[in-house]
Amino acid sequence: MMQETFSDLEHLSEKEIEELIERYYNQERIKDLLKVYRLNIASGQLIRLFPPRVSDNICPYCNENMVKRFASRSYNNYDNGDVICEACKHIHDSFGCRCHHCRNAERERVIKEREEKHQAIKVILDKMNERRISSEELTLEEKIYLGALFRVGLSEDLSIINPVNSFYIPLAPTDNYSTEILENLSSRNIIGISPESDVDAFDEVDFASNSFTYTTHGIKRTLLIDVNEGDKKSFFESLMNPTYELLPEDAYDLWLKIALNECLEYFYYSVRNVFGAEYNAGNKTLSVFTEMLKNLSVSQVFCLIYRATNTALRFQVERGVYRKYAVNTIIGNAQNFAERALNNNWSTTKYSRPRECPQSALSKFFFDRVIKIGDDGFNMPPMRPSSPLDELNDQMPNF
């Protein structure tokens, strides 16, 4: 039965050890057993002293007999102990074995599964990316989106657009707007998913239906526009450094969309920073900000959001209302402040971008390179086609 005794049991004969084990599993008090068998150890260490028994199981890695350890008597069965290889510490019939052999086997299994997953995804993507578009079919808005995307995410060899979540600045002011841009470009077969994307960015790969789900901001993209290899560099440069002339009022819709999302970005940040809550803007919020941007700049709207958020916080503290109720008053507060400011021609300094809301790649590209007004895109209201630049500057309220 015995293989060898541990050092603390060396003063006991084999018969005494067997007797000790039997009395242990007969639920005798451990303190009494330690005293009878002259063991100067803690009670919890006794089970560890019982010498393991040789098992009929052979270690699959060392090809030697494994041994069976005694289980704690709380299992009501001493035969429930692990069967282990004393050489490599492999545990027989255990999904949780952490011996180096099992760790290596698990590592190889994961690598194989990832490779199979990658190959399956590649087959699907090769088929999906066959659909392409010519450069002549690009709209102006699509060219602007691509220019911003290339500037912040294009690889050095011009072959890959890196994942949006790896950009040093956000693609667009809000995640929803970034997702919208990517989905629009994808639906038009302007960009596709690159087979070089990290396998972990894909989920629920269905080999039967050749489909999968993926993390929108976590995958690499590839350009699907038909461009001759020799013209590729000049094509990318033409998008990243546009030479076309575009008046601000001719780009009003895109300007308004960028401005609206910058207001949403700062609004979300304010709610999260002051109240520790998340907020999903509905149609009312979008309508209020859109109306404000007819006369106010993003900078001025930031100022109103700041004031409205502080007012809501005081309302919560002084009135003891629920956080959600206080947050829901911010938009109404901002709207009231805007109307009063415009009606009374109030004057106030303009607000700056907080570092937590950096200017996005799209905003910077659009204002600096496309309509070429720089910071005026933040400090002026979006210019409607009916309002020339010089007249708009004269009409802007200073409040």
Side-chain angles (χ1 to χ4, degrees):
M1 173 182 174
M2 300 298 175
Q3 182 185 32
E4 61 178 315
T5 60
F6 288 176
S7 58
D8 287 302
L9 299 182
E10 286 182 345
H11 63 285
L12 301 178
S13 65
E14 183 174 328
K15 183 178 180 181
E16 288 175 318
I17 294 175
E18 292 178 354
E19 182 183 79
L20 171 60
I21 294 173
E22 183 178 354
R23 294 177 66 175
Y24 170 81
Y25 284 107
N26 284 335
Q27 303 298 321
E28 293 192 28
R29 288 185 59 190
I30 295 179
K31 288 185 177 181
D32 293 341
L33 294 177
L34 297 181
K35 184 176 181 180
V36 171
Y37 291 96
R38 307 179 303 283
L39 297 173
N40 187 25
I41 58 172
S43 298
Q45 294 179 320
L46 179 58
I47 184 67
R48 302 176 187 175
L49 299 184
F50 296 165
R53 298 152 295 164
V54 177
S55 168
D56 292 334
N57 297 99
I58 303 297
C59 176
Y61 304 115
C62 303
N63 200 32
E64 295 182 1
N65 283 91
M66 305 175 76
V67 297
K68 188 157 191 171
R69 291 174 173 170
F70 285 90
S72 171
R73 65 186 184 184
S74 59
Y75 286 100
N76 297 321
N77 187 348
Y78 74 88
D79 206 35
N80 283 335
D82 290 332
V83 176
I84 188 170
C85 174
E86 292 193 309
C88 70
K89 306 306 178 187
H90 170 66
I91 301 175
H92 174 68
D93 199 23
S94 171
F95 292 108
C97 177
R98 299 299 299 163
C99 74
H100 69 280
H101 294 298
C102 286
R103 289 201 304 271
N104 289 339
E106 176 63 15
R107 192 178 300 112
E108 291 174 2
R109 183 189 67 79
V110 171
I111 292 174
K112 183 179 179 181
E113 284 186 358
R114 287 171 62 87
E115 182 59 30
E116 290 176 349
K117 182 179 178 182
H118 179 263
Q119 290 303 318
I121 292 171
K122 186 176 184 303
V123 171
I124 301 172
L125 292 179
D126 287 344
K127 186 68 175 178
M128 290 174 57
N129 292 342
E130 288 178 355
R131 302 185 297 273
R132 291 179 175 268
I133 188 174
S134 67
S135 57
E136 289 76 17
E137 297 178 72
L138 292 175
T139 66
L140 178 61
E141 185 171 312
E142 289 166 349
K143 289 180 180 179
I144 294 172
Y145 287 157
L146 284 175
L149 192 59
F150 291 164
R151 272 181 164 253
V152 74
L154 193 62
S155 63
E156 288 293 329
D157 62 0
L158 310 180
S159 64
I160 295 295
I161 303 169
N162 291 308
V164 170
N165 61 16
S166 70
F167 293 174
Y168 67 94
I169 57 174
L171 171 61
T174 62
D175 285 344
N176 286 341
Y177 194 10
S178 293
T179 299
E180 179 184 328
I181 291 172
L182 296 173
E183 290 180 347
N184 287 347
L185 295 176
S186 297
S187 66
R188 286 261 292 146
N189 299 320
I190 296 171
I191 60 174
I193 302 173
S194 170
E196 295 185 24
S197 299
D198 191 327
V199 174
D200 292 334
F202 298 90
D203 301 305
E204 301 179 15
V205 179
D206 190 330
F207 299 94
S209 61
N210 286 335
S211 63
F212 54 78
T213 59
Y214 58 90
T215 306
T216 304
H217 292 186
I219 59 172
K220 296 180 180 180
R221 310 275 177 162
T222 184
L223 191 68
L224 299 183
I225 300 174
D226 279 325
V227 181
N228 293 329
E229 193 63 33
D231 300 331
K232 183 177 288 188
K233 184 177 180 181
S234 60
F235 173 74
F236 281 111
E237 288 180 348
S238 70
L239 290 175
M240 290 188 289
N241 301 295
T243 57
Y244 49 80
E245 295 292 333
L246 184 64
L247 295 176
E249 56 264 36
D250 293 334
Y252 171 74
D253 288 341
L254 186 53
W255 183 346
L256 178 61
K257 193 168 189 177
I258 293 172
L260 175 60
N261 277 273
E262 288 184 329
C263 292
L264 287 174
E265 176 192 25
Y266 180 64
F267 175 55
Y268 293 152
Y269 160 73
S270 297
V271 172
R272 188 167 53 250
N273 186 51
V274 174
F275 290 94
E278 298 297 326
Y279 189 96
N280 293 318
N283 291 331
K284 177 184 176 181
T285 300
L286 298 177
S287 177
V288 168
F289 282 146
T290 301
E291 186 66 24
M292 292 168 70
L293 289 168
K294 289 181 179 179
N295 300 289
L296 306 174
S297 68
V298 173
S299 174
Q300 290 170 317
V301 175
F302 274 24
C303 179
L304 296 179
I305 293 173
Y306 180 82
R307 291 180 59 189
T309 304
N310 286 348
T311 300
L313 180 61
R314 289 200 60 171
F315 177 60
Q316 180 194 21
V317 173
E318 294 174 357
R319 299 290 185 87
V321 299
Y322 288 112
R323 179 178 65 177
K324 183 177 180 180
Y325 183 75
V327 169
N328 286 336
T329 67
I330 297 176
I331 292 299
N333 290 338
Q335 186 178 34
N336 291 335
F337 289 152
E339 291 172 348
R340 291 165 62 189
L342 291 170
N343 291 335
N344 296 286
N345 197 27
W346 287 346
S347 178
T348 186
T349 57
K350 295 176 180 178
Y351 204 76
S352 300
R353 292 183 191 274
R355 65 175 182 273
E356 294 84 2
C357 300
Q359 187 177 16
S360 67
L362 174 61
S363 174
K364 189 170 182 60
F365 178 69
F366 178 73
F367 294 118
D368 290 353
R369 299 295 304 178
V370 178
I371 61 175
K372 300 179 175 64
I373 63 172
D375 289 340
D376 284 344
F378 181 68
N379 295 314
M380 291 170 44
M383 186 181 300
R384 295 185 295 277
S386 59
S387 301
L389 179 60
D390 53 352
E391 293 182 10
L392 182 63
N393 282 329
D394 293 337
Q395 297 170 8
M396 277 182 59
N398 295 316
F399 69 91

